[in-house]
Amino acid sequence: MIKDIIVHLEHQAARDPARDFAIAIAEIFDAHLTAVAFAYAPDFPGYVMLEFPSDIVSQMMAESEKAALAAIERFDAAARRRLISAEHRLLKPVGASAPAVLSTLARRFDLGVFMQSEPNGVDNDDMIESSLFKSGRPLIVVPYIQNDGLKLDHVVCCWDGSRAATRAINDGLPLLAKATTVDLLIVLNEKTDISPNEIHGAEMAKHLARHDVKVQIVKVPAADIDVTNAILSYVADVSGTLIVMGGYGHAKLREMILGGVTRGMLQSMTVPVFISH
């Protein structure tokens, strides 16, 4: 059950789709929502910092904190209007430690919510990848163009028989249980990891039925390099409102490496993506 949610707030004043989306989730599940805003210190190499006057560094830090506090104020106002249980945290990470700080914090929540990175704008890639690999919790990544809150009219679950896909579907059960329509989408190619003795998707469909989730199995062919496009094309054709998928890749020391489908989806998503690793 989803009862404890964490959302990363954006500094931009115009709009914060992740904030509004997280509030909608909290309403649907009667969950508590914690918003996190970061006040960043300049992250320059030591030799560069030595050349910066201290008053300029202090001013940059003060402006970041001011923007974070403004984001918190907007969140608090929105939470009060929607009458949800909520709190906020202002964090001041050292250097580039914000992704690690948030991924550790997210371990104590059921779900994290983030905004997709914007081209030539907000860059949340490190934050998303760190939380995906290191928190042990699922995430929802919201398109930066998102206007609506959570809609469960038509959920598309990406199924290839893998451990990551299994984990994502299991973590997403609270959402699937409330969905109107659930598709089990299988992109058929040489990497689809399904036993030859199993009818494609049949066993997973029976498992979900035992959780009162009725699914329809859909199969589409696509070469490995076109899996992302095949998924997004199908979602567009059926007016899908949420994608559920496994996060592929691994974390090696501080280097985050995403699989091709995961990276492609985070770059090209047109609807919110529930992702679990």
Side-chain angles (χ1 to χ4, degrees):
M1 192 53 126
I2 298 173
K3 285 297 179 183
D4 213 4
I5 305 166
I6 186 169
V7 60
H8 173 243
L9 296 180
E10 302 299 334
H11 283 191
Q12 58 187 16
R15 57 194 300 271
D16 187 347
R19 175 200 64 208
D20 298 335
F21 197 86
I23 288 174
I25 300 173
E27 283 185 307
I28 290 173
F29 287 93
D30 191 22
H32 181 77
L33 178 58
T34 299
V36 173
F38 286 102
Y40 296 98
D43 183 25
F44 300 125
Y47 65 87
V48 175
M49 286 293 290
L50 292 174
E51 298 177 3
F52 267 78
S54 60
D55 59 330
I56 294 180
V57 174
S58 297
Q59 181 180 352
M60 293 172 70
M61 294 176 64
E63 289 177 355
S64 181
E65 183 170 349
K66 180 180 179 182
L69 289 171
I72 286 173
E73 185 176 346
R74 292 190 294 270
F75 168 78
D76 287 344
R80 284 194 299 269
R81 287 195 300 271
R82 304 284 278 273
L83 301 176
I84 65 167
S85 173
E87 64 179 284
H88 65 254
R89 300 189 190 186
L90 174 66
L91 301 180
K92 302 178 181 181
V94 177
S97 64
V101 170
L102 187 55
S103 63
T104 300
L105 181 62
R107 293 171 187 169
R108 271 82 77 184
F109 292 83
D110 299 319
L111 178 68
V113 183
F114 298 83
M115 186 184 81
Q116 174 197 25
S117 294
E118 294 180 288
N120 304 315
V122 173
D123 184 356
N124 284 336
D125 285 356
D126 288 345
M127 201 80 69
I128 293 168
E129 291 180 22
S130 183
S131 291
L132 175 62
F133 288 125
K134 296 183 177 181
S135 72
R137 298 294 191 173
L139 320 174
I140 289 185
V141 183
V142 182
Y144 61 85
I145 60 172
Q146 184 77 15
N147 290 314
D148 299 325
L150 175 65
K151 290 186 175 181
L152 298 171
D153 303 337
H154 199 143
V155 178
V156 177
C157 297
C158 302
W159 176 243
D160 62 0
S162 68
R163 174 191 178 280
T166 303
R167 176 67 182 268
I169 290 175
N170 183 73
D171 286 347
L173 276 173
L175 297 164
L176 302 183
K178 291 181 178 293
T180 303
T181 300
V182 178
D183 290 348
L184 200 63
L185 178 64
I186 301 170
V187 180
L188 295 173
N189 58 36
E190 67 280 3
K191 291 189 175 181
T192 307
D193 181 19
I194 296 179
S195 167
N197 295 322
E198 178 191 345
I199 299 174
H200 283 178
E203 294 299 323
M204 178 54 73
K206 286 195 293 185
H207 168 68
L208 290 173
R210 296 186 184 105
H211 288 273
D212 297 322
V213 177
K214 295 182 180 179
V215 305
Q216 56 181 3
I217 300 171
V218 180
K219 291 178 275 190
V220 296
D224 183 54
I225 59 172
D226 292 326
V227 171
T228 300
N229 290 334
I231 294 170
L232 291 176
S233 177
Y234 177 78
V235 170
D237 287 345
V238 300
S239 299
T241 53
L242 180 71
I243 296 171
V244 174
M245 64 176 289
Y248 298 89
H250 66 277
K252 182 178 181 181
L253 298 180
R254 295 184 62 183
E255 181 183 9
M256 301 301 176
I257 304 173
L258 285 178
V261 176
T262 306
R263 184 176 299 281
M265 188 62 66
L266 292 178
Q267 291 174 345
S268 306
M269 66 173 65
T270 51
V271 299
V273 176
F274 177 97
I275 186 167
S276 186
H277 174 66

